[in-house]
Every structure is written in C-alpha cells, then in structure tokens.
C-alpha cells in the first residue's frame, strides 16, 4: 500500500513541478474556469502589494480572501508552489475512509439477506479504495490545472479533507475546528456540520432522536465547539488587520455576488441579465438553494452520513456563487469510494460524455467570444448550463444508485412479482 | 463704511501662427470683482460679474472653480504648448471653502446646477468618475489650503461641445456677443476647427501687493485652432475674416483694456510672414519658458481701426518658418493587449530637455470596470527601472468610485519614461451599458503636472555685465514654469452580454436549478416499489362491481 501511494505521489508532484516551469502556468492561471475572483492567485498577490503600500487590501474590490490567507502567503510567498502541491498531497491522506467501510460492514453483516452477498464489498476490494481516491484526486486534470494556477481552492479542499479525516477518526474537536476553518474560508461548508454530527453520533451509538437528552447534549457540545472556533477565527482576523473591513469584502462578496466575471457556474450570466427590481429576490433564492437541501437529505440519509457528506460537497460545488474546477475535483475524488454502486448507475455514460465535451468546449467558446469576436456570451453560457446539468445528473444518479442498493440490501437482490416473474423496481 | 465694489473687465485675443501652418487663437475675458465672497456680507448687486455664476459661488461656498469643454485633442508635438491646456470632453475641478460640511453632497448639487447653466450633461458626474487628487491640482488662486478633502476633480471624456454650450458661455460675458472681441465668436466658424476649447475659471486673487483684500477673478477663455487645409483652403494666409468671418469694429465699452496680440517672434534677419495693418506697438513676454515678441493692437484707441472703421489683421507668409521650439514635456497613452479579458495601459512621458531632469506628478483616474492590478505597475526610463518617490493609490470600489493613481516621477534628461499597468475588464450588468456598447468605454485623460525648467530663459554664461554676487546661482526670471499636459483619452471595449436575452436567461437558468430540485425531490420523497402491472380497464370495473357484491376480486 505504501509503495503504490509513494509512486503516485512522486508522479503527481513531477507533473505539477513540470507544468509550473513552463509558460502554460501563466496561461492557466488566467483561465476563468480555473480561477474565480474569490480565489485567483493574481488577486492574492495584489492584496499583498496593497498591504505593502499601507492600504487595506479590502478598501478596493479586487481582493476577497480572508485575512489568514494574506498572512499565510505573506510568509510563504516564495514557496507558493510547494504550498499548493503540499495541499494536494495532504488530501491523499484520506486512507481513513477505508476504516469507515470496515466498521459499517461489521455492523450490518448480520442483517442482510443471503442473496445480497454479491452487493457487499470484500475487504480486499476496499483495501485499494484509498489509493484510488488519491489517484482520482492527484491525477485529475482539473486538480492539476487548479494547482498549477495556484488557485486557493486547493487550500480549501485540503481543509475539507482534513475535516473529513478528523470526523472519520471520531475526534469531535478537530472536526469542529477544521469545519470552522472551512466555513471561515467560504461560507458554504456550513452545511457539512449536519453530516459530521450525524457521523459522530452514529459512531458513539447515540440514537438520533429529538426526544433523547443525550442527542441534544452531544449536538450542543459539537455546535458549541464549531461556533467557538469560528468566533475565534473571526476575532483573530480582526486583530490581524485591525478592522472589520474583511466581513463585507469576503462574506458580503460571496453572498451578494457583485462581480459578474464569467465562470463555470450559473450565477454570473443570470445576474448580468437580471432586472434590477428582482435582483435581491433571485439572489436570496439562489443562495438558499445551496443550503436548502441539507435538511431533507439528512433526514433521508441519516443512517449514511458519509454519503451525505459527498452529496453536500457535490451540491455546494454545483450551486455555489463562484465555482471553479477545483471544487469539482473535490467531490469527484470521492467517486471511487462508491464504485460498488456502478451496477445501479443509469446515466453514467451520458454524463461522462457531456462532462468531457463541456470541458473541451469551455476554452474554445471562451476564445471565440473574447478573442475572436465571432461568438457571443450566449455560447459560453450554454456550455455552463450543460455542465451544471451534467453534474446534477451525476449526483442524482449516484444518489439513485445508493438508495437502490440500500433497498436491495433490505429486500433482497432478485425480486419477484406476486406471480413469480422477475420484477422491475420503480420509484413511486 | 462699505466701499462700492469695483469691477474691472479686460479682454484679449492672442493669435499665434503654428509651425504646421495652422493658426491658434486664444481669447481671454477677465472680470475682477472685489466683492468678498468668503465674508458674511450678502452679495446681491451684480454688474459685470454674471449673476448666475455669482449665485452658484455663494450658494455652494466655492473657493475656486475650473470648468472646461473641449472638442479635439491638442497635438503638442505639432503645435507646441497651449496657453491653457484642457483635456478632451468636459473637465471640472472645484476647491470648496473649508466651511462646507458635506462636500460630496455639495459637489453633486453643484454639478447639476452647472449642467443647467452651461447646457451640458454634467449631471453624469457622480461618485463613479469623481476623484480627490492628493497632490495635483493645487489651488491656482490665493489660498493656503492643504486639506485635499475639499477638492473634487471629474472628467467626462465623452462629452461633445457644440453651439448649445457656446451660447450660455457667451451670455456670461459683460458685452455678450455684441461688442468687443466676442463679436468674433460665431459658432459656424468656431466649430469648423481642429481644436476648440472653452473654459471658465473662477478664483480669488489679491487686490493689492500686500494682499490685504481679495477679489474674485473670473476668466473665460476660448482656444481654437484653425486647420490649414479645412479652414485655410491650403493657402498659408490667415486673416480675422478668414478665421471668424467677422472683423473687429469696436472695443467692448465696459472693458478697461481690449487688445489683440499677434505672435511675431522670429529670427531677427527675416520675418516669415507679413502682418498688415502694421502697428507700432510691440511687447515682449516670457510665456512657457520662451521669450516671445507680440505686435499689439489696442482696440480702445480709435486709430487701430483705420479709415474703414474695422480691423482685419492679415498674415501673409512669404518664406518657410524656422525651427519650432520642441516642447520639453510631452506624453502619449495607449492600451496594449488583445481580446476582451485583460489589457495594459501604457503611458509614455517624454522629457526633451537636453541636460536637466525634473519631477512630474502623474494623475490617472481609471473607471472601476477596468480593474487595475497595482502589483503589475512598472515604471522604466531608458530601459531601467525608475521607482516613483511618491505613490498615492486609492483602489476602486465597484460601482462607487474609480481608481486613483498619483505618482511623483523623476524624468531623466532626454528620455522616455514608460508607466505600465495591467487591468482586467469587467462584465457589467446589462443595464449599465450605454445604448451603443460596442463603441466602447472612455477612460479620461491622465494629467501630468510639472515645473519644467526652461531651456531658453536659462543662461549660465554671463555675457551681461552683472555683479558677481548676483550671478552665482544660474537663475533668471521664469527659469522654470508650470505646465500641465493631458494625455489622450482611451477607448476600451468591454465584453457584453446579449441584450436581447434577459427573459431567456432567467428561464433557462431557473430550468437548470429546477432540474436539480426535481431529481432530488423525486429521490427524497419516493421509495422503491416492485412494479405491479395495473389490471386492464374491464378487470377494474369488474373488480369494483365485485367489491359491491362482496365477492372475492379477480
């Protein structure tokens, strides 16, 4: 296990180092699919330059990172490339995911009808999952371009990975701290609070029942740790720069979407063409849309918090205000964990073809609009729509497959109708 | 006891033939009024000073006001330096008195009132194109102000100047357009020119050498350059009638002085042009670092008009001109890069002085939709890095204020200094584009202010008989002069959304969100069930009847 992982790490670092040295690095760091106004490296450098000129980086509208990032890069400016590569490598330390699967297997082994044994994964299969996750993340072209562009969403991904790792290990304090750090960077990981809580409750065998006092006790403990760390981080940021300027510049910017720079998300063109009268209304609708699926999904998936984490990360990556391909690569890295669902996936071929085609068309249509002048913004917008639809289909397909497997695990794999013939399973 | 306010009105016209064959005419009308605007006494009696401007100054507590409307760009390399520089479009800068509490609100009201007075669209001046320079634009009148929070500067590079702006400007003159030099100001000839600029400057000046009392000075200036080929029909011969289709018949009766100056500086041996009618009056003045000689026509003397009772100066060229004095300070600006995503602004500043370096202040106000990256700012002279000694940068806030960049640069002698900064073009909301979005967006001119050491007026070799104690430091009068140079305005294209699509975009995007919502809703609210085929219609009816009968179903 260690040898293939080490080899993988060496290959990944080599590819990134090689790309850093070429002129492609500058080209990639300008691409709007890879960087957004929130996490572009050019803006981090601009913020540091403004700080050097004794101007608050938040007095203009160029810099939207949190103060901790300024100070981190103030010291690590020359080692930026290594920082980003290290963040990617850290991610691969997610081998603890396998530990979860073993635990779940032990829990359920006695509940399953006999014919479902083929649905259960064998420990040998699960042995290679961490390596596959690491491979899917490190060798994903989206991750590579995101790292070469020095987009700070690589750092966000590392923090979320650490959060998942600490949740899997059962350490509530570390999990709360990393979640607070992830929420502090961009607001959306707030929704991951619920699956983390569900996992930790499950691990401690506390039933999720609103009438039980032990449930409330643990929930309040966790929330207290989370909110406390968040408060500490915000106050630390205040003391770093001496003013509350960063609150509207970071969180106000994420929530009110003033900058309409094109990206792979849905917000930019929608708000570029929005009637002024309805702008606030649709802004609220779109932002609520990201947070809104938490409660229903957690009710449905309360026994399966790890899949809930995956769903939440995917929904954040699709519906957030300034998505980039780095956010995509985060949830795509988790797909090998669910590769036992492959037999139940219905649209995977279509989805992968559309995703590949869109990834190829994004730079082409951008060039045609911005440089050649022969297309207009509608072309790029159309590919954005298609990309989002493909991602939504991917996520809902995995959800369908997961639910179907659960149904089979409880009711048997080969189902028969009342008259004994083979049954088809539908959603009703 | 209160003295009756004294007025003084002077009018003057300077005609300067330019080296390229064009001719430059500069009118100045100066009204001095020693009412104390800054005092408590209410000013209500206006005689020569226009009432509209006087009321504006008292109501908005204006210390200094400078407004100019320009059509065309001043070509420094071909025409030399103008007497009063102005950028293309409209420019307004105002120093308020320190009694004003809300400067921004007063500025907004002032721009709207001036917009009405001058029939110009100055109401487009708002916080997105107003800046507060921190070092340029020091007061031109008396005043010891150092607090730049009372200064506001704005330009509208897109503003067009036409007859509607000239008419209210002429109305501010004491003689209107009926007598004196203002009879020459006819719009059909004035606007048929390469460069036309009209300005109003109001500032407090000293009344006496000890400066015990102050008066308000109003200068209305009009600069116009007539082109050799379009107005001159290719023939290098200019007269007042050819330029203005009018001649002068009398001075303005209210004027204490009314003069016409014709620049006749030339090499002593041969004069390139002949000036008629001849005038015995000659005067010398040092202007813009250069000692020039002028022939003077005094319109208050009846003799100037001759027997025909009208004065029509005629300048006829016989020989080619000598060398033009190369302007010492000169600048250019352009946008580099391709595509609609990013670009670079390059400002080139030329110092043509052979041996002296001097500092210049560069002021750039860039609109917020071109996002400047100050870490890409490079200043280089003669290929080497040239760090500015003072940088004041105020970053822009989207839809609130523009970028303000002010730098103090030292220009090495005989060199070109290049200032480069990268920017990114923003995508605006569809309502924020002008009706012709593919025309592009204007970036106002940069302003370069400098004290330029004069080449001609400096004299280090003492051929004159002077005592040694006065001639150690090489200094003569006008050894350096103040100059302001405006660069070209830039025209930048921004990426545009499709303006016909708001409804379509809203529908399509909401459809995608609904696809997500729909799939997740399905999966969350439905459960898997074995698909039992529903019985046919006949069987279902039969089952209903059987249920009534209490008989087992099919």
């Amino acid at each position: 296990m260690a040898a293939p992982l080490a080899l993988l790490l060496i290959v990944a670092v080599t590819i990134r180092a090689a790309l850093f040295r070429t002129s492609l690095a500058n080209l990639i760091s300008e691409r709007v699919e890879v960087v957004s106004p929130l996490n572009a490296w050019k803006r981090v450098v601009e913020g540091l330059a403004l700080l050097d000129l004794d101007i608050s980086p938040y007095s203009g509208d160029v810099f939207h990172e949190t103060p901790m990032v300024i100070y981190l890069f103030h010291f690590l400016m020359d080692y930026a490339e290594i920082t980003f590569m290290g963040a990617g490598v850290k991610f691969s330390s997610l081998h603890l995911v396998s530990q979860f699967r073993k635990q779940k297997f032990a829990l359920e082994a006695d509940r399953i009808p006999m014919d479902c044994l083929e649905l259960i994964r064998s420990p040998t299969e699960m042995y290679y999952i961490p390596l596959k996750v690491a491979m899917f993340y490190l060798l994903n072209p989206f991750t590579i371009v995101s790292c070469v562009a020095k987009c700070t969403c690589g750092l966000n991904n590392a923090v979320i990975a650490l959060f998942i790792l600490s949740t899997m290990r059962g350490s509530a304090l570390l999990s709360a701290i990393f979640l607070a750090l992830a929420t502090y960077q961009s607001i959306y990981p707030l929704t991951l609070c619920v699956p983390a809580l569900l996992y930790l409750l499950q691990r401690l065998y506390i039933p999720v029942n609103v009438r039980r006092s032990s449930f409330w006790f643990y929930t309040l403990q966790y929330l207290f740790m989370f909110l406390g760390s968040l408060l500490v981080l915000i106050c630390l940021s205040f003391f770093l720069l001496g003013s509350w300027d960063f609150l509207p510049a970071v969180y106000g910017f994420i929530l009110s979407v003033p900058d309409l720079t094109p990206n792979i998300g849905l917000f930019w063109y929608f708000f570029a063409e929005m009637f002024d009268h309805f702008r606030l209304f649709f802004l609220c609708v779109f932002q609520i849309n990201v947070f809104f699926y938490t409660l229903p999904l957690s009710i449905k998936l309360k026994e399966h918090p790890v899949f809930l984490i995956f769903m939440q990360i995917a929904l954040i990556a699709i519906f957030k205000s300034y998505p980039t391909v780095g956010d995509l690569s985060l949830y795509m890295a988790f797909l090998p964990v669910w590769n036992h669902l492959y037999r139940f996936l219905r649209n995977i071929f279509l989805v992968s073809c559309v995703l590949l085609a869109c990834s190829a068309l994004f730079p082409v249509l951008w060039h045609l609009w911005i440089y050649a002048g022969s297309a207009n913004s509608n072309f790029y917008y159309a590919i954005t729509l298609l990309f989002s639809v493909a991602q939504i289909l991917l996520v809902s397909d995995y959800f369908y497959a997961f639910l179907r497997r659960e149904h089979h695990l409880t009711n048997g794999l080969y189902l028969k109708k009342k008259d004994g013939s083979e049954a088809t399973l539908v959603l009703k | 006891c209160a003295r009756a306010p004294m007025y003084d009105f002077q009018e003057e016209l300077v005609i300067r033939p330019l080296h390229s064959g064009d001719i430059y005419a500069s009118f100045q009308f100066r009204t001095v009024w020693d009412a104390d605007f800054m005092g408590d006494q209410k000013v209500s009696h206006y005689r020569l000073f226009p009432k509209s401007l006087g009321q504006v100054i008292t109501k908005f507590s204006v210390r200094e006001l400078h407004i100019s409307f320009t059509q065309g760009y001043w070509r420094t390399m071909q025409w030399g330096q103008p007497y009063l520089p102005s950028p293309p479009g409209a420019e307004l800068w105002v120093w308020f008195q320190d009694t004003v509490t809300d400067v921004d609100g007063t500025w907004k009201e002032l721009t709207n009132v001036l917009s009405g007075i001058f029939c110009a669209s100055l109401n487009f001046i708002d916080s997105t194109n107003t800046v507060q320079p921190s070092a340029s634009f020091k007061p031109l009148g008396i005043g010891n102000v150092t607090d730049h929070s009372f200064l506001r500067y704005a330009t509208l590079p897109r503003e067009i100047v036409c007859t509607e702006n000239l008419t209210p400007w002429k109305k501010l003159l004491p003689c209107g357009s009926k007598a004196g030099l203002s009879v020459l100001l006819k719009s059909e000839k004035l606007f048929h020119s390469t460069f036309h600029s009209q300005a109003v400057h109001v500032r407090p000046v000293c009344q006496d050498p000890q400066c015990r009392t102050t008066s308000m000075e109003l200068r209305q200036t009009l600069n116009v350059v007539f082109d050799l080929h379009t107005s001159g029909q290719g023939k290098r011969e200019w007269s007042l009638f050819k330029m203005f289709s009018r001649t002068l018949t009398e001075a303005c009766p209210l004027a204490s002085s009314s003069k016409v100056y014709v620049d006749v500086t030339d090499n002593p041996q041969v004069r390139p042009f002949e000036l008629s009618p001849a005038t015995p009056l000659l005067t010398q003045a040092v202007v813009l670092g250069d000692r020039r000689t002028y022939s003077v026509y005094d319109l208050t003397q009846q003799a100037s008009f001759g027997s025909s009772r009208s004065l029509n100066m005629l300048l006829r060229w016989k020989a080619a001109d000598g060398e033009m004095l190369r302007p010492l300070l000169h600048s250019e600006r352009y946008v580099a890069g391709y595509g609609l995503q990013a670009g670079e602004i390059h400002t080139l500043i030329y110092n043509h002085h052979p041996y002296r370096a001097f500092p210049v202040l560069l002021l750039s106000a860039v609109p917020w939709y071109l996002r400047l990256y100050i870490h890409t700012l490079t200043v280089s002279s003669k290929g080497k890095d040239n760090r500015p000694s003072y940088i004041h940068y105020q970053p822009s806030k989207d839809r609130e204020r523009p970028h303000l960049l002010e730098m103090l640069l030292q220009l090495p002698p005989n060199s070109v200094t290049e200032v480069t900064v990268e920017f990114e073009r923003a995508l605006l909301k569809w309502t924020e584009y002008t009706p012709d979005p593919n025309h592009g967006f204007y970036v106002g001119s940069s302003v370069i202010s400098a004290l330029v050491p004069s080449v001609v007026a400096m004299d280090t070799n003492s051929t004159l008989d002077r005592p040694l104690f006065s001639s150690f430091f090489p200094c003569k009068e006008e050894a350096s002069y103040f100059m302001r140079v405006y660069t070209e305005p830039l025209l930048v294209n921004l990426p545009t959304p499709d303006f016909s699509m708001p409804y379509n975009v809203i529908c399509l995007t909401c459809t995608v969100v609904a696809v997500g919502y729909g799939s997740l809703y399905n999966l969350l609210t439905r459960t898997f069930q074995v698909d039992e085929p529903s019985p046919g219609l006949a069987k279902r009816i039969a089952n209903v009847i059987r249920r009534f009968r209490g008989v087992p179903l099919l």
Side-chain angles (χ1 to χ4, degrees):
Chain A
M1 187 58 185
L5 192 61
L7 181 66
L8 179 64
L9 287 178
I10 291 172
V11 168
V13 170
T14 312
I15 296 177
R16 284 160 171 79
L19 280 173
F20 269 132
R21 295 283 164 261
T22 63
S23 64
L24 274 181
N26 270 341
L27 212 71
I28 292 174
S29 56
E30 304 262 309
R31 299 243 29 112
V32 287
E33 297 93 11
V34 182
V35 298
S36 73
L38 269 183
N39 48 29
W41 176 247
K42 199 171 182 188
R43 294 189 181 229
V44 173
V45 177
E46 177 70 9
L48 288 173
L50 284 174
L51 206 60
D52 283 338
L53 281 175
D54 279 330
I55 307 170
S56 162
Y58 301 109
S59 58
D61 252 338
V62 169
F63 187 72
H64 300 287
E65 298 272 6
T66 52
M68 305 271 275
V69 169
I70 307 181
Y71 274 90
L72 177 72
F73 284 108
H74 199 58
F75 299 113
L76 289 179
M77 187 64 162
D78 299 325
Y79 307 106
E81 300 168 0
I82 302 181
T83 313
F84 285 104
M85 285 202 276
V89 162
K90 191 83 193 87
F91 192 95
S92 59
S93 64
L94 267 193
H95 56 277
L96 263 294
V97 177
S98 66
Q99 189 188 8
F100 150 72
R101 298 304 303 182
K102 287 199 194 113
Q103 176 193 4
K104 195 94 193 316
F105 176 61
L107 267 178
E108 292 180 354
D110 49 354
R111 290 204 282 124
I112 302 161
M114 275 304 116
D115 58 352
C116 287
L117 275 178
E118 63 190 78
L119 284 182
I120 307 297
R121 288 191 295 185
S122 57
T124 45
E125 233 176 65
M126 295 210 292
Y127 183 72
Y128 282 107
I129 289 177
L131 183 64
K132 285 187 193 163
V133 168
M135 193 165 72
F136 258 58
Y137 186 73
L138 289 172
L139 298 181
N140 190 349
F142 290 150
T143 327
I144 295 177
V145 293
S146 184
C147 177
V148 170
K150 291 194 274 217
C151 175
T152 55
C153 78
L155 293 177
N156 286 3
N157 289 356
V159 171
I160 295 182
L162 284 170
F163 153 70
I164 297 177
L165 181 63
S166 48
T167 313
M168 298 284 136
R169 274 192 193 265
S171 152
L173 179 65
L174 274 181
S175 157
I177 290 175
F178 283 121
L179 185 63
L181 202 55
T183 310
Y184 166 74
Q185 284 281 88
S186 65
I187 307 175
Y188 300 106
L190 184 62
T191 58
L192 295 173
C193 192
V194 176
L197 196 58
L198 287 173
Y199 183 80
L200 291 166
L201 285 172
Q202 193 185 64
R203 199 190 156 87
L204 293 173
Y205 303 106
I206 301 174
V208 180
N209 191 338
V210 270
R211 284 187 284 258
R212 294 283 191 105
S213 66
S214 54
F215 165 74
W216 283 114
F217 182 64
Y218 195 81
T219 310
L220 286 172
Q221 245 187 335
Y222 186 78
L223 283 178
F224 178 72
M225 285 192 285
F226 168 64
L227 289 171
S229 347
L230 196 58
L231 205 63
V232 163
L233 282 169
I234 291 184
C235 292
L236 194 63
S237 311
F238 170 70
F239 287 118
L240 276 178
L241 280 177
S243 71
W244 294 109
D245 277 349
F246 72 99
L247 286 175
V250 182
Y251 305 117
F253 182 79
I254 297 177
L255 290 175
S256 68
V257 191
D259 188 335
L260 299 171
T261 314
N263 49 54
I264 58 175
L266 299 166
F267 278 64
W268 63 279
Y269 206 54
F270 189 71
F271 289 106
E273 299 269 15
M274 175 53 63
F275 302 103
D276 271 334
H277 187 70
F278 294 106
R279 196 191 146 85
L280 184 60
F281 169 69
F282 277 104
L283 196 61
C284 296
V285 165
F286 271 53
Q287 295 289 4
I288 289 173
N289 185 49
V290 186
F291 295 98
F292 157 76
Y293 295 107
T294 311
L295 195 58
L297 277 176
S298 46
I299 291 173
K300 184 86 179 184
L301 291 172
K302 63 174 178 281
E303 321 272 306
H304 317 285
V306 182
F307 192 74
L308 183 58
I309 292 183
F310 166 73
M311 287 286 295
Q312 291 287 30
I313 293 177
L315 287 171
I316 291 172
I318 301 169
F319 292 120
K320 71 189 286 198
S321 46
Y322 291 100
T324 59
V325 292
D327 301 310
L328 247 77
S329 62
L330 179 62
Y331 78 82
M332 282 193 180
F334 282 108
L335 294 180
V337 180
W338 321 109
N339 60 7
H340 58 288
L341 298 173
Y342 181 75
R343 58 187 294 166
F344 300 116
L345 291 173
R346 295 179 299 175
N347 303 324
I348 196 68
F349 176 67
L350 175 70
V351 164
S352 37
C353 285
V354 172
L355 283 176
L356 277 174
C358 288
S359 315
L361 279 174
F362 269 125
V364 170
L365 291 171
W366 178 256
H367 178 86
L368 280 182
W369 173 27
I370 298 286
Y371 294 101
S374 48
N376 67 4
S377 49
N378 290 333
F379 292 70
Y380 195 77
Y381 166 65
I383 301 301
T384 310
L385 287 182
L386 210 57
F387 200 62
S388 305
V389 166
Q391 286 182 75
I392 291 171
L393 273 182
L394 175 69
V395 168
S396 61
D397 210 18
Y398 266 90
F399 193 24
Y400 170 87
F402 188 83
L403 291 176
R404 183 143 172 195
R405 178 174 175 271
E406 292 303 311
H407 184 262
H408 281 306
L409 281 179
T410 45
N411 298 351
L413 185 56
Y414 299 103
L415 298 168
K416 297 195 171 15
K417 284 197 282 215
K418 283 198 204 123
D419 52 4
S421 62
E422 200 176 316
T424 50
L425 212 54
V426 291
L427 273 177
K428 274 221 187 94
Chain B
C1 61
R3 217 162 28 96
M6 300 293 292
Y7 302 88
D8 183 39
F9 175 63
Q10 299 171 320
E11 55 177 18
E12 152 192 307
L13 164 64
V14 180
I15 296 181
R16 183 169 115 197
L18 299 171
H19 189 66
S20 56
D22 311 320
I23 194 152
Y24 171 34
S26 173
F27 292 83
Q28 278 205 39
F29 302 92
R30 178 178 184 250
T31 310
V32 180
W33 182 29
D34 64 348
D36 188 8
F37 282 103
M38 294 176 252
D40 297 331
Q41 54 198 171
K42 210 162 125 49
V43 178
S44 56
H45 185 69
Y46 298 88
R47 205 173 131 244
L48 292 181
F49 201 93
K51 184 172 176 184
S52 49
L53 273 186
Q55 284 181 328
V56 163
I57 292 168
T58 39
K59 180 157 190 257
F60 297 111
S61 309
V62 168
R63 185 193 288 275
E64 272 191 39
L65 178 116
H66 302 271
I67 184 167
S68 73
F69 299 95
T70 311
Q71 181 81 5
Y73 178 67
W74 182 269
R75 293 169 173 57
T76 312
M77 287 309 275
Q78 291 156 298
W79 298 340
Q81 288 289 348
Y83 296 121
L84 294 138
S86 52
E91 184 203 39
L92 171 66
W93 59 281
V94 174
W95 272 95
F96 289 97
Q97 290 177 22
D98 43 12
T99 53
V100 175
T101 45
D102 176 21
V103 184
D104 288 314
T106 318
W107 169 255
K108 185 101 190 101
E109 287 178 34
L110 177 66
T111 51
N112 280 298
V113 167
L114 287 174
S115 172
I117 292 178
F118 290 104
C119 284
S121 49
L122 297 174
N123 52 317
F124 284 123
I125 293 179
D126 55 9
S127 64
T128 60
N129 47 21
T130 307
V131 290
Q132 242 180 284
S134 68
S136 317
F137 294 103
K138 294 264 185 257
L140 290 177
I142 57 168
N144 207 8
V145 281
T146 48
D147 190 357
H148 279 254
S149 64
F150 293 105
L151 169 65
R152 293 289 184 273
Y153 173 81
T155 48
L156 289 174
R158 208 184 164 133
E159 186 71 16
I160 299 177
V161 187
C162 54
T163 317
E164 272 83 50
N165 307 114
L166 183 63
T167 313
W169 186 89
K170 281 197 288 189
K171 271 207 218 158
L172 299 175
L173 295 170
C175 280
S177 49
K178 298 183 177 57
L181 291 171
S182 43
V183 296
L184 296 176
L185 302 175
K186 292 298 167 200
S187 49
E188 63 266 10
K189 277 297 200 175
L190 277 182
F191 289 104
H192 193 66
S193 58
T194 324
F195 177 84
H196 169 96
S197 169
Q198 63 202 51
V200 171
H201 300 277
V202 179
R203 60 181 179 175
V205 292
C206 288
Q207 243 175 44
D208 48 356
Q210 284 82 25
C211 211
R212 275 179 301 226
T213 41
T214 60
S215 21
M216 213 49 148
E217 179 199 72
L218 164 69
R219 280 196 196 218
Q220 286 180 257
T221 66
L222 195 141
N223 295 334
V224 61
V225 174
F226 292 103
D227 188 63
L228 173 66
H229 300 286
T230 44
S231 311
Q233 287 105 37
K235 249 190 338 171
R236 200 158 177 202
E237 182 189 290
W238 291 104
S239 69
L240 273 186
F241 190 77
K242 192 174 183 188
M243 289 196 281
F244 301 107
S245 66
R246 293 286 187 288
T247 57
L248 293 168
T249 47
E250 54 167 347
C252 173
L254 301 165
S256 65
S257 129
S258 176
K259 291 195 166 78
V260 178
Y261 296 86
V262 180
D263 189 338
V264 294
T265 313
D266 43 29
N267 42 12
Q269 285 80 34
V270 64
R271 175 175 292 194
F273 63 88
E274 176 199 301
L275 178 63
S276 62
T279 170
L281 296 169
L282 273 180
T283 182
Q284 280 207 338
V286 178
V287 57
L288 297 172
D290 197 10
R291 187 173 290 280
R292 315 286 295 178
T293 314
Y294 298 89
S295 290
V296 186
Y297 295 85
D298 190 347
L299 298 181
T300 49
Q301 309 294 329
Q302 202 48 34
S304 311
F305 294 102
S307 53
S308 55
R309 303 268 279 263
S310 88
L311 177 61
N312 180 21
M313 263 125 353
L314 184 62
L315 287 81
R316 198 181 288 122
W317 266 260
K318 295 181 305 214
D321 256 358
E323 269 298 307
M324 181 179 83
L325 185 67
R326 201 155 69 139
L328 291 176
L329 181 63
H330 165 56
S331 75
E332 286 170 1
R333 191 167 69 149
Y334 57 90
V335 172
Y338 63 96
L340 294 176
Q341 187 176 7
E344 282 176 17
I345 298 181
H346 291 245
T347 311
L348 297 166
I349 311 177
Y350 296 86
N351 175 5
H352 291 306
H353 200 287
Y355 53 87
R356 284 282 294 270
F358 56 89
V360 299
L361 258 177
L362 172 65
L363 169 81
S364 294
V366 179
W368 65 267
Y369 38 81
L370 301 182
R371 298 202 167 98
L372 291 184
Y373 285 94
I374 204 69
H375 71 272
T376 56
L377 177 70
T378 55
V379 183
S380 61
S381 313
K382 292 180 171 168
K384 285 186 303 212
D385 206 26
N386 177 5
R387 289 195 58 105
S389 48
Y390 167 76
I391 295 186
H392 174 245
Y393 176 62
Q394 193 188 46
S396 67
K397 265 210 141 8
D398 275 8
R399 302 178 179 91
E400 271 174 38
R401 59 168 200 244
H403 298 275
L404 174 66
L405 178 61
E406 270 187 285
M407 293 190 289
L408 185 65
L409 299 168
Q410 189 77 7
L411 302 182
N414 214 9
S415 66
V416 181
T417 304
E418 183 165 357
V419 180
T420 312
V421 66
E422 280 180 28
F423 65 86
E424 211 176 67
R425 300 173 208 224
L427 185 72
L428 306 177
K429 298 184 202 169
W430 70 302
T431 46
E432 288 174 346
Y433 288 88
T434 53
D436 53 347
N438 291 305
H439 179 73
F441 287 77
Y442 283 94
V443 178
S445 310
S446 290
V447 188
I448 296 164
S449 321
L451 268 178
V452 181
S454 144
V455 173
V456 174
M458 274 209 43
D459 190 3
T460 43
N461 64 334
S462 44
T463 49
L464 299 170
D465 185 19
R466 276 190 303 174
L468 291 173
F469 61 79
S470 69
S471 64
F472 182 71
F473 292 105
C475 175
K476 283 182 87 166
E477 77 271 19
E478 306 295 333
S480 68
Y481 55 97
F482 178 74
M483 202 201 279
R484 196 168 265 154
V485 178
Y486 291 93
T487 62
E488 297 97 324
L490 300 173
L491 190 57
V492 174
N493 264 348
L494 291 182
T496 57
D498 189 346
F499 298 101
S500 60
M501 292 271 288
Y503 183 68
N504 302 357
V505 167
I506 295 175
C507 284
L508 287 170
T509 311
C510 290
T511 304
V512 170
V513 174
V515 163
Y517 174 80
S519 345
L520 287 176
Y521 176 82
N522 260 347
L523 291 165
L524 286 168
T525 50
R526 297 182 185 203
T527 52
F528 285 100
Q529 288 169 24
V530 174
D531 184 24
E532 297 288 341
S534 59
L537 186 60
K539 273 201 182 164
R540 273 191 282 164
I541 296 174
N543 274 338
V544 166
I545 299 169
R546 280 186 170 218
R547 212 178 287 130
F548 272 126
R549 286 171 52 194
V551 166
L553 302 171
L554 284 171

